[in-house]
Amino acid sequence: MLSKQQLSLQTRNSFNINAICPTIYFPSSLTDLQLLTRVITTPFYILGEGSNTLFVEQQAPIIVKPNFLGISVVELAEHYQVTVGAAENWHALVSYCLERGINGLENLALIPGSVGAAPIQNIGAYGVEFADFCQQVEYFDMASASLHCLTAEQCQFAYRNSIFKTSLRNQAIITQVTLVFAKKWRANLSYNGLGHLPQTVTAKEVMQQVIHIRQKKLPDPAVIPNAGSFFKNPIVSSTEFSRIQQLHPTIPNYPQDDQQVKLAAGWLIEQAGLKGYRKKGVGVHEHQALVLVNYASENGADIVALAKYVQQQVLTKFDVLLYPEVRMITAQGEQNFVDLAVNDESK
Ligand code: EPU
């Protein structure tokens, strides 16, 4: 199996943080995966394209970077079934499908990252999420050293969540996913910015519009390093929501099925006066406050300090606690954001 020692991960995480890992492994077969269970004895982290990961220390743990490639399509009477290796690029998959008239992923265009990462946090944008097309996810379980398959239901998908972030956290190496697309396609134009498109729009046109919106609002990680939304949109009870709405009548809100209301973290951060805020080479993006950006720092700790500051300011103003969507990785593996220390000076 291909592996490297003492490797800088700077080009392998979209925050451009210069963390060094002792060893990085690139498994591409079942034999490689089984070997990993014998050679890895300390904490490790499974890395896709590093677009939802923050290395918070100069040392990273052992890294496993799955290298399973390939896309295969099966045409059924009313559906297409597409099986994709975990290491394929997500946006390349979206383009591949649309080029072949397999529609459905257009709203999820341009999301950075690998296909294998998509089920973990159930990526979503513009009214659509990964779960809508997932048939099954195949993964290698490090504990039992064997391959398993989960149906979409067994993946327990929820808003930015799945079993791969809960009971299988850091234990399941996703090898491939199978998606299913109905041949009978209808555009999903439920998101505000797509509502002006006619129902006769093509999937490719929807994709162009999604790309246009993303390029306008979200910084390109290749130009200004970032990991997309840094925080999840918080979900509060309807009672809690009424309290906040009385004080802030214009607050955007998205009622959920279960007496809960999703709030827009970007709006809360902007109202806390932090849009465009900068400190120590890092900052809050000037067009989308939910995105923290790295202008000039090599230290993940600077971004942690900024995130803690943002979290504190929003808590003070709204009494709402924001939780990061981005995963925090130290030399000891993944840590909870709440457990990360921050030195007061960086605030
Ligand atoms: N808003 C502000 N100020 C800001 C940002 C947003 O007032 O700085 C307001 C907007 O005006 C709007 C509301 O907040 O009323 C929601 O904003 P937007 O539609 O831009 O989406 P979002 O909730 O901020 C979520 C996802 C994005 C996804 C968009 C579109 C999360 C954490 N983020 O952002 O996903 O692209 O919806 O569907 O759910 C990502 O995960 O990296 C990501 C970019």
Side-chain angles (χ1 to χ4, degrees), residues 46 120 139-142 164 168-174:
I46 306 158
I120 298 176
Y139 69 94
F140 179 80
D141 177 41
M142 286 292 280
F164 302 107
L168 291 178
R169 192 178 189 91
N170 296 329
Q171 197 55 49
I173 300 175
I174 293 172

Side-chain angles (χ1 to χ4, degrees), residues 121-336:
Q121 64 153 337
N122 184 22
I123 58 169
Y126 311 110
V128 173
E129 57 184 23
F130 177 84
D132 299 338
F133 304 99
C134 179
Q135 188 172 60
Q136 64 175 41
V137 177
E138 182 192 85
Y139 69 94
F140 179 80
D141 177 41
M142 286 292 280
S144 63
S146 54
L147 279 176
H148 299 259
C149 257
L150 293 181
T151 62
E153 200 188 345
Q154 291 169 328
C155 289
Q156 298 169 17
F157 292 120
Y159 168 63
R160 295 297 196 266
N161 206 5
S162 75
I163 194 168
F164 302 107
K165 280 181 82 177
T166 53
S167 56
L168 291 178
R169 192 178 189 91
N170 296 329
Q171 197 55 49
I173 300 175
I174 293 172
T175 48
Q176 63 179 29
V177 306
T178 301
L179 304 173
V180 68
F181 303 96
K183 287 185 178 172
K184 211 165 154 204
W185 170 83
R186 241 180 119 227
N188 182 330
L189 306 175
S190 58
Y191 182 79
N192 250 345
L194 301 176
H196 67 283
L197 296 173
Q199 269 303 332
T200 52
V201 71
T202 66
K204 281 189 184 171
E205 286 164 350
V206 176
M207 174 161 100
Q208 287 316 321
Q209 181 61 19
V210 166
I211 290 176
H212 175 72
I213 300 173
R214 289 191 79 96
Q215 287 178 338
K216 211 167 71 181
K217 280 195 187 172
L218 298 167
D220 178 355
V223 182
I224 309 177
N226 74 87
S229 300
F230 192 90
F231 297 98
K232 287 188 264 200
N233 283 332
I235 297 176
V236 300
S237 68
S238 44
T239 324
E240 176 75 346
F241 172 65
S242 304
R243 175 190 66 75
I244 305 171
Q245 196 184 32
Q246 269 182 359
L247 298 168
H248 309 277
T250 60
I251 186 168
N253 61 93
Y254 312 92
Q256 309 291 292
D257 310 338
D258 46 1
Q259 293 289 306
Q260 296 195 306
V261 181
K262 196 196 272 178
L263 306 178
W267 186 90
L268 298 171
I269 297 169
E270 179 171 349
Q271 297 301 311
L274 293 172
K275 200 172 189 171
Y277 174 89
R278 284 193 191 208
K279 183 117 188 194
K280 284 191 117 185
V282 298
V284 176
H285 188 55
E286 45 202 3
H287 301 311
Q288 166 49 294
L290 191 44
V291 179
L292 302 189
V293 289
N294 181 12
Y295 295 108
S297 175
E298 292 210 331
N299 280 324
D302 292 334
I303 293 164
V304 172
L306 172 68
K308 295 236 173 201
Y309 179 66
V310 169
Q311 190 190 46
Q312 186 54 51
Q313 293 297 107
V314 168
L315 185 66
T316 305
K317 188 167 169 81
F318 296 99
D319 203 14
V320 171
L321 190 60
L322 298 181
Y323 291 99
E325 169 183 300
V326 172
R327 301 177 72 164
M328 309 291 146
I329 312 303
T330 70
Q332 277 68 49
E334 184 165 15
Q335 302 289 320
N336 289 325

Side-chain angles (χ1 to χ4, degrees), residues 44-63:
F44 65 96
Y45 180 65
I46 306 158
L47 186 69
E49 293 182 15
S51 57
N52 200 43
T53 295
L54 178 58
F55 291 108
V56 307
E57 295 176 345
Q58 275 156 1
Q59 282 300 316
I62 288 176
I63 298 292

Side-chain angles (χ1 to χ4, degrees), residues 28 83-84 111 139 143 209 310:
S28 61
T83 299
V84 196
I111 296 183
Y139 69 94
Q209 181 61 19
V310 169

